[in-house]
Amino acid sequence: MEELKIQPIRNGTVVDHIPQGQALNVLRVLGVDSATRDVVSVAMNVPSDEMGRKDIVKVEDRRIDSKEADLIALIAPDATVNVVDDYDVTEKHDVSMPDEIRGVLACPNPSCITNTREPVETVFDVRDDEIRCEYCGTVLTDEIAEHLA
Amino acid sequence: MDIINTKEMSKDDIVAVLDRAAEIEPSDALDGDVLALLFFEPSTRTRMSFDTAMKRLGGDTVDMGSVESSSVKKGETLADTVRVVEGYADAIVLRHPREGAARLAAEFVDVPVINAGDGAGHHPTQTLLDLYTVRDNVAAALGDLHVGIMGDLKYGRTVHSLAFALAKFGARITFVSPPSLRVPENVRTELGRAGIEFKEVDGVDDVIDTLDVLYATRIQKERFPDEKEYEKVAGEYRVTPETLETARDDLVLMHPLPRVDEIAPDVDETRHAKYFEQAHNGVPVRMAVLDMVM
């Protein structure tokens, strides 16, 4: 049934097993926004035996490497990332939380130096499931998607 | 070598500074070196003691002056300011209203950066002089102490730096504050991770007889929605001779200064009062820091 809703791609990356409603946040993590020239397909609320409902994202002609894939773990810890070449899956990555997150999240502390005009990207350290701003020490306590830059 | 916060200093690093401060004498060790003082917020003790420390080691200082009279007023970023100043000086002392400012500065320059206070974040050299003062006045080892830290624990950067440092030595900490000014979650998490025993209480009366050190801090008026509420809270956290009646004879009373009403003037003459000595210790401790990083 899935194949009818979303076409296979020839080359690119398919992110599967995204929690229902998080597809657009996965695109934000990957830096895919309205300015992109990539062909992007998004399937939301797809029936899934394992997850009940899930989202799927396909980005054509773009290979997502394992480092980028790990950023997806912020939003979709059980996602799978499949790189497709000529309709065949040639690489498969499970995602795992990175040790460090650069430039993806905004610090919620309004007094943090990163929330100014300074020419730096944010850096968060991940340790024991705790995500902490390397500049000011603020720990993210609510949904990570709320802090996507 | 940068000095950004006490969290990243090892226990050995801290002890090395304290030991060096205990023996340091005026010299020409930094003759020909220049220290830049960049204070984006007001300062008396920190600015002047760094200035004095540098001069006692034979070096010189260059001071940005007030923000109002600098290019910061024109909208210059901190990253640009420190890169410019790097060309004028051999080390930078930085105070800034934003948390993480010193870390950012250190990323943009090769000369040592010493954090002299970043927003509500850290003030490591204050902590070093605090520990120096404790060590000078208390016979017990730092790790065997029970330290009460009282006042604005939420926004007070000296409190956060001190708590992280005490954690390294294994001291027992009691935080004394109104519920609205408790230590922030990130500090609490770090202390828990370090396995430090700490508790939080509303008033000092129940614990003062067990303390080796009481570290009072200023409760800032601007943190309260109205003046009456501030006056009520500030009054409850004022140290008076009566507060100290049940304290141990050898209790050491400290304060990073400036004080407003947190310590009554008639406490100054008691054997407990060590806050002026503490302020004076800023010079040898900062001499030791400069001698080690420059």
Side-chain angles (χ1 to χ4, degrees):
Chain A
M1 291 296 286
E2 251 173 53
E3 289 79 357
L4 295 176
K5 293 190 178 73
I6 186 161
Q7 293 290 321
I9 58 173
R10 180 169 188 164
N11 294 302
T13 304
V14 179
V15 184
D16 199 355
H17 302 108
I18 300 169
Q20 184 181 13
Q22 294 297 325
L24 298 179
N25 284 331
V26 166
L27 289 175
R28 286 173 71 190
V29 165
L30 295 174
V32 177
D33 57 21
S34 57
T36 188
R37 298 174 69 97
D38 300 326
V39 176
V40 179
S41 310
V42 175
M44 299 175 80
N45 305 320
V46 178
S48 161
D49 290 341
E50 293 166 58
M51 302 173 71
R53 297 270 175 176
K54 66 177 180 179
D55 290 357
I56 301 170
V57 164
K58 299 188 180 192
V59 186
E60 292 189 37
D61 298 319
R62 177 167 165 192
R63 299 174 71 91
I64 291 174
D65 61 25
S66 58
K67 201 172 170 187
E68 285 179 295
D70 283 349
L71 289 176
I72 295 170
L74 294 171
I75 304 298
D78 298 318
T80 50
V81 177
N82 300 310
V83 177
V84 178
D85 287 307
D86 205 14
Y87 297 108
D88 284 333
V89 174
T90 53
E91 285 175 38
K92 213 174 175 83
H93 307 292
D94 286 330
V95 300
S96 60
M97 204 67 157
D99 296 334
E100 186 182 87
I101 304 160
R102 282 187 171 268
V104 175
L105 302 172
C107 182
N109 173 9
S111 294
C112 179
I113 193 72
T114 59
N115 287 317
T116 60
R117 293 172 44 246
E118 299 296 336
V120 287
E121 57 182 13
T122 59
V123 183
F124 285 81
D125 293 323
V126 181
R127 190 174 149 192
D128 302 336
D129 287 335
E130 184 184 87
I131 301 176
R132 178 185 291 265
C133 174
E134 193 176 288
Y135 286 91
C136 73
T138 298
V139 176
L140 302 188
T141 52
D142 41 14
E143 283 294 316
I144 293 174
E146 306 281 318
H147 303 294
L148 288 174
Chain B
M1 178 185 176
D2 304 305
I3 306 279
I4 306 297
N5 62 48
T6 50
K7 206 168 61 175
E8 288 167 11
M9 294 178 79
S10 70
K11 189 173 155 182
D12 287 346
D13 291 338
I14 293 171
V15 170
V17 174
L18 304 188
D19 288 348
R20 184 81 185 101
E23 64 181 22
I24 202 158
E25 297 284 345
S27 72
D28 290 327
L30 299 181
D31 183 24
D33 285 343
V34 175
L35 178 68
L37 303 174
L38 305 188
F39 282 75
F40 291 72
E41 282 187 327
S43 168
T44 304
R45 277 154 297 280
T46 307
R47 187 200 295 253
M48 291 184 71
S49 62
F50 264 115
D51 196 7
T52 303
M54 188 63 184
K55 287 169 178 165
R56 289 209 174 143
L57 290 172
D60 208 344
T61 58
V62 57
D63 193 326
M64 180 181 81
S66 72
V67 166
E68 300 304 311
S69 62
S70 73
S71 285
V72 177
K73 192 70 183 164
K74 299 174 188 166
E76 185 173 58
T77 62
L78 177 62
D80 280 359
T81 302
V82 294
R83 278 181 288 187
V84 169
V85 171
E86 179 181 31
Y88 308 153
D90 304 288
I92 293 172
V93 173
L94 175 68
R95 171 169 293 182
H96 196 278
R98 295 274 185 168
E99 282 104 81
R103 175 172 299 286
L104 177 139
E107 286 173 9
F108 281 89
V109 298
D110 293 327
V111 297
V113 173
I114 301 169
N115 184 6
D118 59 336
H122 302 273
H123 193 354
T125 60
Q126 176 69 45
T127 294
L128 293 168
L129 73 89
D130 293 342
L131 295 178
Y132 182 85
T133 306
V134 171
R135 211 173 68 156
D136 222 23
N137 284 282
V138 182
L142 289 171
D144 294 331
L145 301 181
H146 182 196
V147 179
I149 305 180
M150 183 167 81
D152 179 354
L153 310 184
K154 186 173 183 181
Y155 300 101
R157 57 192 168 209
T158 60
V159 167
H160 307 157
S161 283
L162 181 61
F164 288 133
L166 288 170
K168 291 184 191 299
F169 290 89
R172 189 153 62 101
I173 304 173
T174 295
F175 294 113
V176 185
S177 74
S180 60
L181 295 177
R182 294 255 197 265
V183 279
E185 189 58 36
N186 62 320
V187 176
R188 211 175 297 190
T189 311
E190 287 285 332
L191 294 178
R193 188 174 280 158
I196 287 306
E197 185 191 341
F198 70 92
K199 63 179 179 179
E200 297 176 285
V201 298
D202 291 344
V204 75
D205 291 346
D206 293 340
V207 292
I208 192 144
D209 58 333
T210 66
L211 296 177
D212 296 289
V213 176
L214 176 59
Y215 192 94
T217 63
R218 188 162 56 97
I219 292 181
Q220 296 170 60
K221 198 182 281 187
E222 59 270 27
R223 307 296 184 202
F224 290 85
D226 65 75
E227 189 152 344
K228 275 190 178 163
E229 178 65 15
Y230 160 73
E231 282 169 5
K232 179 173 171 285
V233 170
E236 288 171 15
Y237 294 89
R238 179 176 162 87
V239 179
T240 65
E242 290 72 41
T243 316
L244 299 169
E245 270 173 7
T246 56
R248 291 187 356 210
D249 282 351
D250 57 356
L251 170 83
V252 171
L253 176 61
M254 295 169 64
H255 190 299
L257 304 179
R259 70 172 152 176
V260 182
D261 294 317
E262 307 84 61
I263 300 177
D266 45 357
V267 172
D268 297 356
E269 303 310 318
T270 69
R271 60 185 170 278
H272 303 294
K274 301 294 180 192
Y275 27 91
F276 291 111
E277 177 184 328
Q278 181 186 355
H280 297 162
N281 286 337
V283 174
V285 169
R286 289 180 172 123
M287 285 168 75
V289 168
L290 294 174
D291 192 41
M292 292 171 89
V293 305
M294 291 184 77

